[in-house]
Amino acid sequence: MPKVEILSGGKAFDTLAASWDHLSRTCETATPFQTRIWIETWARNFASPSRLTTIVVREGADVVGLFPLFSSVSPWRALRPAGTGPSDYLSPLLPDASLVGEMQDALVELGRKRLIDLHQQPSDHFFTAALPYETIDQARCLVLDLPPTYEEYVASLSKSLRYDVRRLGGKALTEKGAVVEWISPETVDEFADQFFQLHRLRWKSRGLPGAFFGRGERFQREWMHAAVPVGLVMMNRLVAEGKPAGCVYAMRAGQTCYFYQAGMDPDASSLSPGTILVAKMIEWAIQEGCTTFDFMRGDEPYKRRWKPNRERTNFRILLPPGGVLGNAGKWWNASAWQVELKVRQRFEGKSLRPSKAPKPTP
């Protein structure tokens, strides 16, 4: 019978390192956001070890389930998934649905003393589907199922995008003195510097500060240094006449490539760096044997151009439901959704398709 153990502090990083790494490699639903490297790097930058609590499910000597959580005191005291904030998916590491009961029982027990506030739980994950609790919409994610060949994929695009991809990816690059380059362990710092610079330029053009600054940027740099050598991060950039024009930041886990962020120089729009780099990243993913390209959080029009064929909703789940803290969590989530939608509309333009955001209630 599976047994549940609760580890306090950062013990899981030391005592379960090999088991954690093995589980994240073999679990079909694992994303980069469940890896030990991501969570440990996140914890160093956003949460002290004393605030961590890890649910461990064992079968004999084998670790078959993990759910790292952290104690948050803002805006109220609660246990949230470790990685909350920069992580797009925050489900527990479980190989299949047979262990959901043990994980749920552990959460209920922890919830007797404080609110359990589960962010970014994918609607199509068996853990989320099995929880008998009310869900709150938190984000929408677009997903593209990849065909066996890049040529087949390009043929499925709209006529205008198909033309652009074929035109811009060929001789047009050479004629404009441009080249697409790929990150390596030796060029992490160079790529990171240019990515953050381009990302800030892109957001500045909309009058916004950008998504990375302070601890957020430091966290990402540390993660890139650890993740690039083991194949968890892939970045490409467009360089024209010796100057970076754009950069795409993606991740890889199993057979899925995850589109995480991008940075573009607004002055280089005539080169269409976004179109070139996203197309090249999708081509790379297919060549690497990926079957899925996940655009993750955000239902923006530019993502829809690439013909994602399904979407999921990320849910927020509060345990126990009801009560003062639970109702406050619902109100807070609804308010945050409205703010995020307004920011995205300002960033992506008026063409952003409105989402069905929940209405805040006092």
Side-chain angles (χ1 to χ4, degrees):
M1 291 289 294
K3 294 184 178 180
V4 175
E5 177 184 5
I6 306 296
L7 294 182
S8 299
K11 296 177 183 177
F13 298 136
D14 300 322
T15 62
L16 301 179
S19 298
W20 195 330
D21 292 345
H22 174 74
L23 194 59
S24 61
R25 286 194 304 268
T26 57
C27 182
E28 291 186 3
T29 58
T31 74
F33 311 114
Q34 280 80 45
T35 62
R36 177 183 56 85
I37 299 174
W38 176 270
I39 297 297
E40 191 169 8
T41 306
W42 177 89
R44 278 198 300 270
N45 287 276
F46 296 105
S48 64
S50 62
R51 292 167 57 192
L52 295 174
T53 298
T54 304
I55 302 173
V56 184
V57 183
R58 297 180 184 270
E59 285 187 343
D62 297 330
V63 175
V64 293
L66 280 170
F67 201 3
L69 307 162
F70 82 105
S71 180
S72 171
V73 294
S74 177
W76 51 77
R77 188 169 180 264
L79 271 181
R80 294 187 171 93
T84 296
S87 307
D88 284 58
Y89 301 126
L90 287 166
S91 51
L93 263 177
L94 291 171
D96 54 59
S98 64
L99 300 171
V100 168
E102 282 75 14
M103 189 64 71
Q104 180 182 338
D105 290 345
L107 287 169
V108 170
E109 185 63 31
L110 289 172
R112 297 183 190 280
K113 297 181 179 179
R114 73 195 84 177
L115 180 72
I116 306 297
D117 189 359
L118 303 181
H119 289 240
Q120 307 299 341
Q121 300 297 310
S123 58
D124 56 356
H125 194 287
F126 53 77
F127 173 75
T128 309
L131 293 181
Y133 302 105
E134 179 185 359
T135 59
I136 306 168
D137 287 6
Q138 196 171 25
R140 287 204 175 85
C141 308
L142 303 179
V143 183
L144 165 64
D145 293 315
L146 297 171
T149 68
Y150 181 64
E151 291 73 20
E152 186 178 345
Y153 169 68
V154 172
S156 71
L157 299 175
S158 66
K159 184 177 180 180
S160 60
L161 183 55
R162 182 168 66 246
Y163 173 78
D164 287 343
V165 166
R166 288 171 173 166
R167 175 180 61 86
L168 296 170
K171 292 182 179 179
L173 276 181
T174 306
E175 292 171 355
K176 293 182 178 181
V179 62
V180 175
E181 298 176 343
W182 298 82
I183 198 171
S184 70
E186 294 74 30
T187 59
V188 171
D189 284 326
E190 181 184 335
F191 266 75
D193 289 344
Q194 293 182 0
F195 166 74
F196 291 118
Q197 178 188 13
L198 290 165
H199 183 78
R200 282 189 287 269
L201 284 174
R202 184 181 179 216
W203 280 70
K204 187 177 180 181
S205 69
R206 297 282 184 179
L208 297 169
F212 304 110
F213 45 86
R215 287 187 298 174
E217 181 175 331
R218 184 173 67 244
F219 158 67
Q220 294 289 342
R221 287 180 180 273
E222 289 184 26
W223 155 252
M224 290 174 191
H225 271 284
V228 169
V230 294
L232 287 169
V233 162
M234 178 52 67
M235 299 178 78
N236 61 10
R237 66 184 177 192
L238 181 66
V239 179
E241 298 180 352
K243 181 181 177 181
C247 186
V248 163
Y249 172 7
M251 302 180 191
R252 164 85 187 273
Q255 293 182 300
T256 301
C257 181
Y258 298 86
F259 178 92
Y260 189 64
Q261 265 293 356
M264 305 294 164
D265 183 352
D267 292 338
S269 59
S270 62
L271 292 171
S272 299
T275 298
I276 294 170
L277 294 175
V278 173
K280 289 293 184 182
M281 190 64 74
I282 293 175
E283 182 179 20
W284 172 85
I286 293 174
Q287 291 173 347
E288 288 292 308
C290 292
T291 57
T292 306
F293 193 87
D294 192 334
F295 286 96
M296 297 198 287
R297 282 188 285 177
D299 186 356
E300 291 92 355
Y302 79 89
K303 294 179 180 179
R304 292 263 176 195
R305 292 186 70 215
W306 297 97
K307 297 297 182 182
N309 56 319
R310 54 191 172 95
E311 60 183 83
R312 65 169 62 92
T313 301
N314 278 4
F315 293 137
R316 185 177 181 182
I317 303 172
L318 298 168
L319 309 176
V324 175
L325 287 182
N327 290 330
K330 290 182 183 179
W331 178 87
W332 183 271
N333 183 85
S335 300
W337 184 305
Q338 297 287 352
V339 172
E340 180 182 353
L341 181 59
K342 289 180 180 178
V343 170
R344 289 187 179 277
Q345 285 176 330
R346 184 175 176 185
F347 181 41
E348 297 298 338
K350 298 294 184 180
S351 60
L352 178 62
R353 189 162 63 95
S355 299
K356 294 181 180 179
K359 296 181 180 179
T361 54

